[in-house]
Amino acid sequence: MSLLTIVLLSIALAMDCFAVSISQSACLKQPMWGKWLVMAMSFGMFQGMMPLFGFYLMQFFADTITAYDHWIAFIILGVLGARMIKEDLITAKNPNCDLDEDHHHYGLGKIFLLAIATSIDALATGIVFVPFPNWLNVAVICIGIISFLFSLMGTQIGYYVGKRFSFKWGVLGGIILILLGTKILIEHCFFS
């Protein structure tokens, strides 16, 4: 185990946060700095803490957790993605509908569910640190900071790309969430 390995692991884990952050901010009409910070902090905190929980849980419940973690992520991301698509299509059919899109994308409940769904794979990485317990604290901090930064960067990229190009960003964001959940499911079912 080395610091470079932990940084690369952190970047890999942060990619889900990055993709979700882009999808959540691409359809906004105005910047939402406070909500972006809340989401980035939530993603960073969950991503950083999950390996710590995984480290302790894997020692006792490794088989049970790894048997279901991918299904949980798949279901949460699939449901959230389907809701995003549905809401974007409803808004397109009825532009005067009373759906406060900007605030709806960043409700605390939705941020919480997204933080859990994107960090479930980080839970499984806790087992990596069982033979290297002295690197666990470094990994928790590194994963948390990099996930925070990637999330914040993703919200900016999503917002500015969304403002520049007219597109059904809610539909695209929903598709990204569904594909992300599917990717997690496929990786665990066929490649682990």
Side-chain angles (χ1 to χ4, degrees), residues 9 32-33 51 58 66-67 76 78 83-84 97 107 128 141 144 176:
L9 175 66
M32 301 188 72
W33 289 99
M58 290 296 181
T66 55
I76 291 173
R83 282 185 56 193
M84 275 183 78
C97 72
V128 171
I141 293 167
I176 289 172

Side-chain angles (χ1 to χ4, degrees), residues 60-158:
F60 301 106
F61 305 109
D63 295 335
T64 305
I65 292 170
T66 55
Y68 299 107
D69 64 348
H70 50 285
W71 284 105
I72 294 168
F74 173 72
I75 290 168
I76 291 173
L77 290 172
V79 168
L80 289 173
R83 282 185 56 193
M84 275 183 78
I85 293 168
K86 178 184 169 195
E87 289 162 2
D88 202 24
L89 293 175
I90 288 171
T91 305
K93 284 183 182 177
N94 184 6
N96 298 321
C97 72
D98 192 23
L99 179 63
D100 187 359
E101 283 183 56
D102 286 0
H103 292 285
H104 183 74
H105 282 285
Y106 289 97
L108 291 179
K110 186 171 187 179
I111 289 173
F112 180 74
L113 284 175
L114 287 171
I116 291 172
T118 57
S119 65
I120 287 176
D121 56 345
L123 182 71
T125 62
I127 199 164
V128 171
F129 298 99
V130 171
F132 308 103
N134 52 327
W135 284 99
L136 184 61
N137 291 334
V138 174
V140 166
I141 293 167
C142 191
I143 291 168
I145 290 171
I146 289 176
S147 294
F148 170 81
L149 293 174
F150 271 56
S151 297
L152 202 54
M153 186 172 47
T155 59
Q156 306 307 300
I157 291 170

